[in-house]
Amino acid sequence: MSPKIVRVSVRDVRFPTSLEQHGSDAMHTDPDYSAAYVVLETDGGLRGFGLTFTLGKGTEIVVCAVQAMTGLVVGKSLEEIVRDFRGFYRLLTSDGQMRWLGPEKGVIHLATAALLNAVWDLWARMEGKPLWKLLVDMSPERLVSCIDFRYITDVLTEEEALELLVKAQEGKRQREEEMLREGYPAYTTSCAWLGYSDQQLKQLCTDALKGGWTKFKVKVGADLDDDVRRCRLIRQMIGPDNTLMIDANQRWDVSEAISWVSNLAEVKPLWIEEPTSPDDILGHAAISKALAPLGIGVATGEQCHNRVMFKQFLQAGALQFVQIDSCRLGSVNENLAVLLMAHKFRVPVCPHAGGVGLCELVQHLILFDYICVSASLSNRMCEYVDHLHEHFVCPVVIHNARYMPPKIPGYSCEMLESSVKKHQYPDGDAWKLYPKK
Amino acid sequence: MSPKIVRVSVRDVRFPTSLEQHGSDAMHTDPDYSAAYVVLETDGGLRGFGLTFTLGKGTEIVVCAVQAMTGLVVGKSLEEIVRDFRGFYRLLTSDGQMRWLGPEKGVIHLATAALLNAVWDLWARMEGKPLWKLLVDMSPERLVSCIDFRYITDVLTEEEALELLVKAQEGKRQREEEMLREGYPAYTTSCAWLGYSDQQLKQLCTDALKGGWTKFKVKVGADLDDDVRRCRLIRQMIGPDNTLMIDANQRWDVSEAISWVSNLAEVKPLWIEEPTSPDDILGHAAISKALAPLGIGVATGEQCHNRVMFKQFLQAGALQFVQIDSCRLGSVNENLAVLLMAHKFRVPVCPHAGGVGLCELVQHLILFDYICVSASLSNRMCEYVDHLHEHFVCPVVIHNARYMPPKIPGYSCEMLESSVKKHQYPDGDAWKLYPKK
C-alpha cells in the first residue's frame, strides 16, 4: 500500500543571522536566513520534509501560500502522485485561479518548491534511498515523465531529453563509484561576505586553505575601491593558481556591470555572478559578450525563476555558468529540465547553495547531474557555505573541499525539531532574545 | 499640513463570476474575479483606495503580502512619499529581506501595486484631481522623479525620458480637450469568452454593434476547430471592416502558436494575444517574426511582471502591441517607465483591462499616454469588459465605445462599502449563497 498524505504542516523558521552579517551582500545587507518548512504526514506514519529558503521578513507570506496549496496535496497517495508526476506538477503550477499570482514565479513558486521538495523526500524515504540515488536508479523514461515540457519544447522536447539521458547511461556506474569515493568538488563563499572585516577575511582564507579549499567566492558591488582592495587581498591570500569568483547580487545596470567588472579583471575572476537584474536575459547577454575577451564568464540562476527563463538565458548565450537553486525552481521536476537544457547547450552547472538547507538539498541534484547527465567535472563545482548545518538531522558532509554523497534515505532537509521549535517566528525562544524585525 | 498615513487596511473581496463563465479562457477556466483591496487612512481623515486584481483562490496570500509591507507605509506623510517617490518605490521593492520573494514579481509585486495605487489615489484626491489630470499637469521633471530607472538605463535613461516628455508637451492642451470631448477608443472582450455558447456570442455581438462597438476580442486556444468556427462566426457578425483580435491566454508552445494562429489567419485578426508563456521573450520574438508576413501582430503584457521584462520584449521586437496592466506592474511609477520605453520603440500601448477595477484604473494611464507621451491614436485602444463596474463609487463611463475621462478626484478604484462587505471572503453574504472554492 502506498502511503497517503493526510496532513500538511508548514512553519515559519528564522535564524537571526543579520546580527553577525553572515550572508550580507550588496543587495541583501541584513538577511535573517529563514525557511518555510513543510512536513507531509501520511497514514502509514512515514513523513516527508521539504522547505524553501527565505531571508526573514515575508516568510509568513510563503507559509500562507503553502497553506493555500495544501488542498491540492492532502488526500493523494504517493503512488498517485509519482505515477503521473508531470500531471501533479502541472496541477500545482497551473491552478486556474492561483496561476494568476505567478505563474511559476515569486511566492507561489517558492511554495511549490517547498511542497514538492517534501514529496520527493517522501518518495526517497519510501524507496529507502537518498534522493540522488533514487534519481540515478530511475530509468530515463521515468525521469522524463517527471518533467513538464510546456514552454520549452522549442529547445528541448521529451524525445530529445530521453535521448540525452539514454546516451549518458554509459559510464554511469563508474561515475557513481567515483562520487562515493571522492565526492563532488565544492567552492566556499564563507570567507568573504560583504559585511566582514579585512582581519576576518584573512583569517577565514587562511583557515580555508588549510582545510583544502581551492575555490573562493567574494561578494562585490557596494564600492569599487573597496572591491579592488578586498579582491586583491583575497587573490594574494589564495595565490595565482586557485580559483576566484566574484558576486554582485544584482547591484548594477548593464553598462555599469561591464565597466565595474573590467576594473576587477586584474584579479582574474572565473565568473561575475548576478551582475544585474535576474530577469534581464538580454542584459546578461550583453555583459557576457563584453567580458568574454577578458576571460570572465557570467554566472546567474539563484533568482532565475523558472525553466522558461533558463531556456532563454541559454538560447541567448547570456550565461556561461548555470546556477540552479533547489528552492526557487519547482523542485526536482523543474531542475531536471534545466539540467538537461544546460547539457544540450554544453554550459556547466554550478549550483547555488548556502542559506538554510540549500547545501543539503542541491548536493543531490548535482550528484545526479554528474552521474546521469553531464558526465563532466570540467569548470563545475557546487557552492558551499559553512553555517546553519547543525540544525539538520543529516547535515552535509564535506571532505577535502568535496561534498560526500549522502547515504541516508531522503532529500536531507529534515530539521531537528528542537531547532525548529527554538527558531519558529515570532514565538520561538531565539526570537525572545533578539530584536524582532 | 500633508496628511500622514496612520493605518492601512486590506481586505479579500471575491465575486463568484465562475458561476456563469464570465472571464473564462483557455488557461483560466473558472475565475472568481477578486481583489486585494487596500484603504489608506490618514490623520486628516482623507483616505486613499487601491487594489490589485486576482482570480479568487490565493487572494489571501496577496492580502498577507500587503500586511507584511504596511510597516514601510504607516507613519509616512504623503508629502514625504511624493517628494522622493522614486525612493519610496525603491523602499517597497528593494527591502533587503523581502526582495528575495520576487524581486518585483508575483505576489510581492501585486501587493506593491495595490499599496502604491492607493498612494496615487490619495495624492490625486489631495490635489482635487482625477489621477490622469494630476499626471497631465505634472512637469516632466516631476514625472521622471517618480520612475525607478534601475535596470533599464541601457534602453532609457532619465535624461532621455525627460527629453521625450518635454518634446510631447507640444499640442498637449488640444489633446486634453479632444479627450474630454470625445474620449479614448475602446474595444470589447465581453462578447466572446470561451465558455459562452454560439447563441450568446451572436446576441452579444448584435448588441455591441448596436452600441457602436467596432473592435472585438475573441478567446481562443482550447480547440482549433472550435476556434475556426467561433472566429468565422464573429467575423461574419462584425463584417470585414471592423477589427478582430484573438487571445490565447498562454495556451501554446512556440511552434504550436505559429501553426495554430496561421490556421486562423483567414479571419484577419489584428493581433494574437499571449500566444505562449508571459516570460518567453525570445519565444514571442520568434512568433512575431513568423506571423508578420500574415499581417498578424503579437500582443502581450497583462502578465509581464515588470519594466525589465517589457524592456526586453521591446528590445527583441517580441511584441507589436504593449499591454500594460495597472495592477501587475508597480503602479503608476512603473507604468510610466513602460509607456516611455514603448514610445521610444514606437510600439503602440493597448492596456489590459476587465477584471475588478482594471478599467477604472487603467483609463487614467492611457489618457495620460495620449495627452503627454504618444500623441497618437493609431492602432491604439483600451480593453473594455462590461461587468462588475456597479461595485465602484465612480465606475467608468463609456460613450460610443470610448472611455470618457473621469472628472472626480482620485484613481477611481474606491469600491462601494456595501459591495465590499457583501463579497468579503469567506464571510460575506455572497459567499454564504455560493459554494466556497
Side-chain angles (χ1 to χ4, degrees):
Chain A
M1 275 293 286
S2 175
K4 187 165 126 180
I5 298 166
V6 292
R7 208 174 91 88
V8 176
S9 75
V10 53
R11 284 178 287 178
D12 180 339
V13 185
R14 306 190 191 185
F15 300 92
T17 47
S18 61
L19 292 175
E20 299 182 28
Q21 298 267 293
H22 300 315
S24 56
D25 64 51
M27 294 292 270
H28 313 91
T29 50
D30 61 344
D32 285 324
Y33 278 6
S34 305
Y37 181 62
V38 169
V39 183
L40 305 180
E41 289 172 28
T42 66
D43 52 1
L46 194 66
R47 292 185 298 168
F49 302 86
L51 61 81
T52 194
F53 170 56
T54 52
L55 294 189
K57 265 194 284 181
T59 307
E60 75 277 17
I61 309 170
V62 184
V63 166
C64 181
V66 171
Q67 285 163 343
M69 296 168 89
T70 54
L72 302 170
V73 180
V74 170
K76 294 221 163 38
S77 73
L78 179 62
E79 162 61 21
E80 196 181 340
I81 290 171
V82 304
R83 196 196 314 136
D84 176 22
F85 214 154
R86 179 186 300 167
F88 185 70
Y89 179 88
R90 185 75 70 92
L91 180 78
L92 291 194
T93 55
S94 296
D95 177 272
Q97 296 195 347
M98 282 203 285
R99 76 185 295 284
W100 186 263
L101 308 180
E104 294 181 84
K105 62 177 67 70
V107 166
I108 207 85
H109 212 43
L110 293 168
T112 301
L115 274 167
L116 283 176
N117 281 343
V119 170
W120 279 95
D121 181 66
L122 183 66
W123 192 8
R125 284 168 192 261
M126 185 68 192
E127 300 290 328
K129 295 176 182 178
L131 189 275
W132 69 268
K133 179 67 172 157
L134 171 70
L135 292 174
V136 163
D137 290 348
M138 275 164 73
S139 70
E141 289 76 12
R142 189 77 195 251
L143 285 166
V144 298
S145 80
C146 299
I147 301 172
D148 188 351
F149 288 89
R150 174 174 268 179
Y151 301 141
I152 60 170
T153 56
D154 51 333
V155 152
L156 186 75
T157 62
E158 185 168 351
E159 296 68 35
E160 278 178 287
L162 194 61
E163 210 175 291
L164 292 176
L165 285 166
V166 168
K167 217 165 163 185
Q169 296 274 302
E170 199 192 317
K172 188 172 123 173
R173 288 299 145 217
Q174 295 89 306
R175 288 192 295 275
E176 182 178 338
E177 283 160 24
E178 180 196 346
M179 284 296 109
L180 285 167
R181 206 172 52 237
E182 298 174 19
Y184 194 93
Y187 73 86
T188 177
T189 307
S190 293
C191 298
W193 295 105
L194 210 53
Y196 285 4
S197 69
D198 284 7
Q199 193 46 42
Q200 249 176 315
L201 297 188
K202 279 191 198 170
Q203 189 57 52
L204 288 165
C205 265
T206 306
D207 295 349
L209 287 162
K210 273 189 203 150
W213 294 92
T214 59
K215 304 176 181 81
F216 300 80
K217 193 162 80 185
V218 183
K219 297 284 176 179
V220 297
D223 178 272
L224 179 57
D225 290 338
D226 190 53
D227 286 350
V228 171
R229 190 181 49 74
R230 287 157 44 86
C231 286
R232 280 182 186 161
L233 179 71
I234 304 267
R235 176 51 85 192
Q236 205 173 7
M237 294 294 299
I238 68 175
D241 295 333
N242 284 326
T243 304
L244 179 70
M245 289 86 73
I246 55 177
D247 183 357
N249 292 88
Q250 313 168 21
R251 183 59 183 256
W252 307 307
D253 280 22
V254 174
S255 64
E256 194 182 13
I258 294 168
S259 70
W260 195 303
V261 177
S262 300
N263 276 309
L264 294 172
E266 60 163 275
V267 300
K268 299 200 179 304
L270 176 67
W271 74 52
I272 170 64
E273 181 171 331
E274 290 205 303
T276 188
S277 164
D279 296 338
D280 198 351
I281 299 149
L282 301 180
H284 280 81
I287 297 166
S288 292
K289 205 174 160 191
L291 296 180
L294 300 174
I296 304 169
V298 169
T300 192
E302 71 184 63
Q303 294 199 24
C304 181
H305 58 259
N306 61 34
R307 67 194 177 285
V308 184
M309 296 300 287
F310 271 116
K311 177 186 77 166
Q312 295 173 86
F313 272 100
L314 290 162
Q315 285 176 300
L319 41 58
Q320 288 72 52
F321 300 90
V322 166
Q323 299 182 303
I324 57 165
D325 184 287
S326 54
C327 290
R328 187 165 297 270
L329 293 184
S331 188
V332 179
N333 312 69
E334 195 168 27
N335 270 301
L336 288 173
V338 176
L339 294 177
L340 288 163
M341 288 193 290
H343 182 52
K344 186 176 166 182
F345 282 90
R346 300 280 154 189
V347 174
V349 176
C350 299
H352 171 240
V356 178
L358 298 182
C359 299
E360 277 69 19
L361 286 158
V362 89
Q363 60 178 337
H364 291 272
L365 302 180
I366 200 62
L367 284 164
F368 166 76
D369 181 62
Y370 176 62
I371 298 168
C372 294
V373 183
S374 78
S376 165
L377 293 177
S378 168
N379 262 333
R380 285 168 165 88
M381 49 192 155
C382 186
E383 183 167 20
Y384 176 70
V385 182
D386 76 350
H387 55 249
L388 302 177
H389 302 291
E390 65 275 21
H391 303 293
F392 288 83
V393 174
C394 306
V396 289
V397 175
I398 302 284
H399 273 325
N400 200 24
R402 287 173 166 250
Y403 277 92
M404 300 311 294
K407 294 187 173 157
I408 294 161
Y411 199 1
S412 306
C413 61
E414 180 181 357
M415 293 176 79
L416 295 169
E417 187 54 31
S418 56
S419 287
V420 174
K421 281 218 174 96
K422 183 175 172 193
H423 294 93
Q424 247 187 282
Y425 188 88
D427 297 323
D429 285 345
W431 291 101
K432 288 180 186 144
L433 299 171
Y434 300 116
K436 280 200 180 63
K437 289 284 161 181
Chain B
M1 275 293 289
S2 175
K4 188 165 126 181
I5 298 166
V6 292
R7 209 174 89 88
V8 176
S9 75
V10 53
R11 286 179 285 176
D12 180 340
V13 184
R14 307 190 192 186
F15 300 92
T17 48
S18 62
L19 292 174
E20 298 182 29
Q21 297 267 294
H22 300 315
S24 56
D25 65 50
M27 294 294 270
H28 313 91
T29 51
D30 61 345
D32 285 324
Y33 278 6
S34 306
Y37 181 62
V38 169
V39 183
L40 305 180
E41 290 173 27
T42 66
D43 51 1
L46 194 68
R47 292 185 297 168
F49 301 86
L51 61 80
T52 194
F53 171 56
T54 53
L55 295 188
K57 263 194 287 184
T59 307
E60 76 277 17
I61 309 169
V62 184
V63 166
C64 181
V66 171
Q67 286 163 343
M69 296 167 89
T70 55
L72 302 170
V73 180
V74 170
K76 293 223 162 39
S77 73
L78 179 61
E79 162 59 20
E80 195 181 341
I81 290 171
V82 304
R83 196 195 315 137
D84 177 23
F85 214 155
R86 180 187 299 164
F88 185 70
Y89 179 89
R90 184 76 69 90
L91 180 78
L92 291 194
T93 55
S94 295
D95 177 272
Q97 296 194 348
M98 283 204 285
R99 76 185 296 283
W100 187 262
L101 308 179
E104 295 182 83
K105 60 177 67 72
V107 167
I108 206 85
H109 212 44
L110 293 169
T112 300
L115 275 167
L116 284 176
N117 283 342
V119 170
W120 279 96
D121 181 65
L122 183 66
W123 192 7
R125 285 168 192 260
M126 185 68 193
E127 300 288 329
K129 294 176 183 179
L131 189 275
W132 67 269
K133 180 66 173 156
L134 172 70
L135 293 174
V136 163
D137 290 348
M138 274 163 72
S139 70
E141 290 75 13
R142 189 75 196 250
L143 285 165
V144 299
S145 80
C146 299
I147 301 172
D148 188 352
F149 288 89
R150 175 173 266 180
Y151 300 142
I152 59 170
T153 55
D154 49 335
V155 151
L156 186 75
T157 62
E158 186 168 350
E159 296 68 35
E160 279 179 287
L162 194 60
E163 209 177 292
L164 293 177
L165 285 166
V166 168
K167 219 167 162 182
Q169 296 274 306
E170 198 192 318
K172 190 172 120 172
R173 289 298 147 215
Q174 293 90 308
R175 288 192 295 277
E176 183 178 338
E177 282 160 25
E178 178 196 347
M179 285 296 108
L180 285 167
R181 205 171 53 237
E182 298 174 20
Y184 195 93
Y187 72 86
T188 177
T189 308
S190 293
C191 298
W193 294 106
L194 210 53
Y196 285 4
S197 70
D198 284 7
Q199 194 47 43
Q200 248 175 315
L201 296 188
K202 277 192 200 169
Q203 188 57 53
L204 289 165
C205 265
T206 307
D207 295 349
L209 287 162
K210 273 188 203 151
W213 293 91
T214 59
K215 304 177 181 80
F216 300 80
K217 194 162 81 185
V218 183
K219 296 285 177 178
V220 298
D223 178 90
L224 180 57
D225 290 338
D226 190 53
D227 286 349
V228 171
R229 190 180 49 72
R230 288 158 42 87
C231 286
R232 281 183 185 162
L233 179 71
I234 304 266
R235 177 49 88 192
Q236 206 173 5
M237 294 293 300
I238 67 174
D241 296 331
N242 284 325
T243 305
L244 179 70
M245 289 86 74
I246 55 176
D247 183 358
N249 291 88
Q250 315 167 20
R251 184 58 185 256
W252 306 309
D253 281 22
V254 174
S255 65
E256 194 182 11
I258 294 168
S259 70
W260 195 302
V261 177
S262 300
N263 277 309
L264 294 172
E266 59 162 277
V267 301
K268 300 201 178 303
L270 175 67
W271 75 51
I272 170 66
E273 181 170 331
E274 291 205 305
T276 189
S277 163
D279 297 338
D280 198 351
I281 298 149
L282 301 179
H284 280 80
I287 296 166
S288 291
K289 206 174 159 190
L291 296 180
L294 300 174
I296 304 170
V298 169
T300 193
E302 72 185 61
Q303 294 198 25
C304 182
H305 58 260
N306 61 34
R307 68 195 178 285
V308 183
M309 295 301 285
F310 272 115
K311 176 185 80 168
Q312 295 173 85
F313 272 100
L314 289 163
Q315 285 176 300
L319 41 57
Q320 288 71 53
F321 300 91
V322 166
Q323 299 182 303
I324 57 165
D325 184 286
S326 53
C327 291
R328 188 165 297 271
L329 292 185
S331 188
V332 178
N333 312 69
E334 195 168 26
N335 270 300
L336 287 174
V338 176
L339 293 178
L340 288 163
M341 287 193 290
H343 182 53
K344 185 175 169 182
F345 281 91
R346 301 279 154 189
V347 175
V349 176
C350 299
H352 172 240
V356 178
L358 299 182
C359 299
E360 276 69 19
L361 287 158
V362 90
Q363 60 178 337
H364 292 272
L365 303 180
I366 200 63
L367 283 164
F368 166 77
D369 181 62
Y370 176 61
I371 298 169
C372 295
V373 182
S374 78
S376 165
L377 292 177
S378 168
N379 262 333
R380 285 166 165 89
M381 50 192 153
C382 186
E383 184 167 21
Y384 176 69
V385 182
D386 76 351
H387 56 249
L388 302 177
H389 301 292
E390 65 275 21
H391 302 293
F392 287 84
V393 174
C394 306
V396 290
V397 176
I398 301 284
H399 273 324
N400 200 26
R402 284 172 167 252
Y403 277 92
M404 300 312 293
K407 292 184 176 163
I408 293 163
Y411 201 0
S412 306
C413 62
E414 180 181 357
M415 294 176 78
L416 295 168
E417 187 54 31
S418 57
S419 287
V420 174
K421 281 217 173 99
K422 183 174 172 194
H423 294 94
Q424 246 187 282
Y425 187 87
D427 297 323
D429 284 347
W431 292 100
K432 288 181 186 145
L433 300 170
Y434 300 117
K436 283 202 180 60
K437 289 285 160 178

